Amino acid sequence: MGLFSRKSNDTPANPQMTELGREYAIARRHGDRKTMGRITRQLGTSGASENDRNSFEQGRDAYDAIPPIKPTRNRRKGR
């Protein structure tokens, strides 16, 4: 693998928890506190194991690694 290769062989132990972590990261980026609270409660009541929490963090970190898209400038403003 190269120096800047993004490929990794880290497969999550629980794909459902990985997806839940991704949803949490999306909600946090968009400021959706209701969804963040729902996911936090769901994670707390499920009695997740250490592997599940690691999968959750992998999904969250994978989405956080993607840089946000800057909105284009509206040049028509003020005309």
Side-chain angles (χ1 to χ4, degrees):
M1 291 197 171
L3 183 62
F4 296 107
S5 179
R6 291 186 179 196
K7 292 182 181 179
S8 64
N9 294 331
D10 297 336
T11 56
N14 188 346
Q16 291 174 336
M17 291 302 283
T18 304
E19 187 61 32
L20 196 62
R22 203 171 288 130
E23 287 180 27
Y24 181 83
I26 291 169
R28 187 176 61 209
R29 183 174 285 183
H30 293 280
D32 188 0
R33 295 186 324 189
K34 183 177 177 183
T35 303
M36 288 172 55
R38 179 185 56 82
I39 293 172
T40 304
R41 281 191 306 275
Q42 184 178 355
L43 189 62
T45 59
S46 67
S49 67
E50 187 65 30
N51 288 336
D52 291 342
R53 292 199 184 271
N54 287 338
S55 296
F56 179 83
E57 289 178 14
Q58 275 183 329
R60 190 180 66 197
D61 294 340
Y63 188 80
D64 285 340
I66 301 170
I69 298 172
K70 293 183 180 179
T72 59
R73 189 173 144 203
N74 188 358
R75 294 180 184 217
R76 294 184 60 197
K77 203 178 234 185
R79 282 188 177 182

